[in-house]
Amino acid sequence: MKRILRATLMLICLTGLVNPYAAQSVKRPPNIVVILCDDLGYGDIGSFGNPTIRTPHLDRMAAEGQRWTSFYVADSVCTPSRSALLTGRLPIRTGMFSDTRRVLFPDSAGGLPQSEITIAELLKTRGYATAAIGKWHLGFQPEYLPMKQGFDSYFGIPYSNDMDATFRFSTRDEYVNFMKNPKIAYWNVPLMRNEKTVERPADQTTITKRYTDEAIKFISANKNRPFFLYLAHSMPHMPLFRSKEFEGRSSRGLYGDVIEELDTNVGRVLETLRQLKLDRNTLVIFTSDNGPWALFDEQGGSAGLLRGAKGGTYEGGMREPTIIWQPGTIKPGVVTGIGSTLDLMPTFSKLAGVEAPKDRVLDGYDLSGVLHGKSSSPRKTMFYWRGSKLYAVRHGAFKAHFITKSEYGSDPEVVHNTPVLYNLDVDPSEKFDVAPQHPEVIAEIRRIAEAHKKAIPPIENQLDKRVPSTSGK
Ligand code: MG
């Protein structure tokens, strides 16, 4: 009996040496899972008001956790938005912006500079296992891939699922037709494992399920140590694909099928956490990188009651349906205060007990007090950048548009000498200009905007750089 006890103690000590969190005396920080959708609209899930798309797993997650109704990304398109999520810094500070090429393309030579510190790099200093699964879109040259940015492993597509098109078109209608009637071979997108291509073109019909399989494998393999999982689904970005099992399931059509498959797979991740008894020690955030892509009619998503869409600085482009969940820790409810993906870095660093970078400006706030139901959101202001220009600023309930422009049209920018002012608490759809009634609000927001712009030093733009052999394409 004594021998067995001694052997057991020895085993515990040895495990403790390899993995300090296996020993009970070391308090284990929470696991963190970020589930990021691509181009999901504010109005595309049941708990955010969609009348036909069925999302029971997300709805349960929202009921058990917090549903954030004013949660923003830092930019209205993929690359800059993702760079801000992972660094806690506005794209204008990291070089991940452009006025011409708004995202990275397969011939791009730039990427998220290695000098930037990602959430993965930060959490690794606290002993976290890290994995990136899904769409990356922060640089495809070898020095910019996920494993160079703090991730132990990677499985996914390095850029958007509509890039590397193999078809030719001469009119807009022809282009839209290819996008709305997709076949795998139309896009020669690589699927990568770590730093190697393992499938090309990626079979996108099974990709949502396969990303989730990988996520479950990663969670199971790391159940005895803290982990950070960045699960960036490539759906529902056009072209839309779903597996056989989900074909024709939704009365919302193809787009609804895709969202219902995403919902089922979010459910699989949460169920895995429950089964492994990790749910009470795992913070899960569900959100999207930008608003719905409105170019494709019914195959694009919906921003619900919000105005605008992906690519623009009205609410529909940058306000995302966001759910934060950790049973027993997150105080359930609806949070109407302002939050942002920029706040994830400071929030995670607080929860993990690791100091956020001090040698650079972070644009985020620690939201842990809100998550625990102890305080209201410390974020009062949101900046709406488009490339190198500050288009709008929200401060409290009011949002002032200094510049407006359609999401993707060839219309010129309209610079407003007196900004257009909306009260988002009263008028979330941005319909009623209240500038004449509130000159003092405009003056205050103008001061905030000018001070903010002045404090941003010039930086090299990463998005306009191209690899030499394809320059001029
Ligand atoms: Mg996107």
Side-chain angles (χ1 to χ4, degrees):
M1 186 65 195
K2 240 182 183 171
R3 265 221 316 264
I4 293 171
L5 193 65
R6 208 181 301 138
T8 313
L9 276 174
M10 181 80 91
L11 192 67
I12 289 170
C13 289
L14 279 174
T15 325
L17 282 178
V18 180
N19 174 9
Y21 301 109
Q24 292 302 309
S25 57
V26 180
K27 186 171 168 5
R28 178 175 159 171
N31 311 308
I32 296 171
V33 177
V34 174
I35 303 178
L36 184 71
C37 290
D38 197 353
D39 295 6
L40 178 74
Y42 188 83
D44 283 330
I45 58 181
S47 36
F48 278 80
N50 194 285
T52 41
I53 301 174
R54 296 164 301 180
T55 54
H57 300 96
L58 286 164
D59 300 347
R60 176 178 169 187
M61 185 184 173
E64 293 174 355
Q66 288 182 350
R67 187 163 65 85
W68 284 66
T69 60
S70 291
F71 199 91
Y72 293 90
V73 287
D75 199 284
S76 65
V77 289
C78 297
T79 298
S81 169
R82 285 153 197 264
S83 71
L85 185 156
L86 283 177
T87 61
R89 279 153 61 77
L90 285 165
I92 195 80
R93 290 192 205 278
T94 60
M96 299 298 279
F97 69 95
S98 161
D99 292 324
T100 46
R101 303 186 109 199
R102 299 180 67 188
V103 297
L104 292 166
F105 288 87
D107 67 345
S108 293
L112 182 66
Q114 281 193 10
S115 55
E116 293 299 327
I117 297 171
T118 67
I119 291 173
E121 286 169 320
L122 184 77
L123 294 178
K124 270 188 89 64
T125 65
R126 186 81 162 90
Y128 277 65
T130 57
I133 297 170
K135 173 170 156 181
W136 179 240
H137 217 181
L138 294 175
F140 330 119
Q141 302 307 316
E143 66 268 34
Y144 297 122
L145 289 171
M147 291 172 75
K148 299 291 191 304
Q149 300 283 15
F151 290 101
D152 300 331
S153 63
Y154 175 57
F155 179 76
I157 61 172
Y159 37 77
S160 294
N161 64 328
D162 68 329
M163 291 181 174
D164 277 337
T166 58
F167 55 84
R168 295 268 171 272
F169 59 91
S170 46
T171 65
R172 186 185 178 276
D173 283 353
E174 278 174 30
Y175 164 70
V176 170
N177 196 41
F178 277 111
M179 292 289 272
K180 283 182 155 187
N181 298 284
K183 292 193 167 55
I184 298 295
Y186 290 172
W187 296 274
N188 197 28
V189 180
L191 181 70
M192 300 181 76
R193 183 172 294 284
N194 296 334
E195 304 196 330
K196 288 204 174 76
T197 297
V198 291
E199 186 178 300
R200 191 167 191 174
D203 181 352
Q204 297 195 48
T205 57
T206 54
I207 210 156
T208 298
K209 181 177 181 302
R210 287 193 287 164
Y211 287 159
T212 307
D213 293 344
E214 289 287 324
I216 289 171
K217 246 188 263 173
F218 170 76
I219 291 169
S220 306
N222 291 287
K223 63 182 182 202
N224 292 323
R225 61 183 289 201
F227 57 81
F228 169 55
L229 168 62
Y230 175 62
L231 173 54
H233 281 291
S234 36
M235 289 292 123
H237 189 288
M238 287 285 290
L240 301 175
F241 288 98
R242 79 293 203 213
S243 60
K244 271 245 151 356
E245 194 190 335
F246 285 85
E247 282 178 11
R249 282 255 290 238
S250 172
S251 54
R252 168 67 174 81
L254 174 56
Y255 188 85
D257 290 351
V258 169
I259 305 304
E260 292 193 11
E261 181 163 23
L262 279 166
D263 176 73
T264 296
N265 281 283
V266 170
R268 291 177 63 211
V269 170
L270 301 185
E271 191 50 35
T272 301
L273 294 171
R274 285 188 202 101
Q275 277 174 8
L276 295 173
K277 304 211 181 324
L278 294 172
D279 52 321
R280 297 178 80 81
N281 196 37
T282 304
L283 180 80
V284 185
I285 295 186
F286 175 90
T287 191
S288 175
D289 70 334
N290 51 250
W293 206 359
L295 289 179
F296 301 100
D297 309 324
E298 80 285 4
Q299 284 200 22
S302 163
L305 85 175
L306 303 180
R307 178 174 176 179
K310 169 181 176 173
T313 47
Y314 287 106
E315 293 294 286
M318 292 173 62
R319 202 198 284 205
E320 309 305 330
T322 302
I323 302 168
I324 307 183
W325 179 90
Q326 185 183 350
T329 296
I330 302 282
K331 189 176 179 222
V334 178
V335 176
T336 57
I338 307 174
S340 169
T341 47
L342 287 163
D343 303 330
L344 298 184
M345 165 78 99
T347 305
F348 295 168
S349 68
K350 176 70 191 295
L351 295 172
V354 55
E355 202 169 299
K358 278 239 160 80
D359 62 341
R360 59 199 68 206
V361 175
L362 291 187
D363 293 290
Y365 296 84
D366 168 18
L367 302 178
S368 61
V370 194
L371 301 183
H372 300 150
K374 292 189 175 133
S375 58
S376 58
S377 176
R379 176 179 283 282
K380 304 295 171 217
T381 308
M382 194 65 218
F383 298 103
Y384 303 68
W385 286 86
R386 177 164 168 159
S388 67
K389 290 176 190 159
L390 183 63
Y391 265 48
V393 177
R394 174 177 182 176
H395 185 62
F398 289 98
K399 177 177 175 186
H401 291 266
F402 296 98
I403 309 173
T404 50
K405 177 174 164 40
S406 72
E407 288 88 10
Y408 288 103
S410 53
D411 55 315
E413 288 176 340
V414 178
V415 179
H416 302 277
N417 288 329
T418 301
V420 182
L421 188 73
Y422 298 115
N423 179 336
L424 294 176
D425 281 353
V426 174
D427 175 26
S429 306
E430 297 176 278
K431 282 181 184 165
F432 312 112
D433 183 4
V434 292
Q437 293 96 297
H438 296 287
E440 76 296 345
V441 173
I442 288 179
E444 188 186 7
I445 295 183
R446 211 190 277 282
R447 269 197 304 276
I448 292 169
E450 289 311 313
H452 174 67
K453 283 193 281 190
K454 221 181 264 171
I456 291 178
I459 188 156
E460 189 185 13
N461 164 321
Q462 294 290 331
L463 270 53
D464 290 342
K465 296 182 190 175
R466 301 189 197 197
V467 289
S469 57
T470 51
S471 280
K473 220 181 173 182

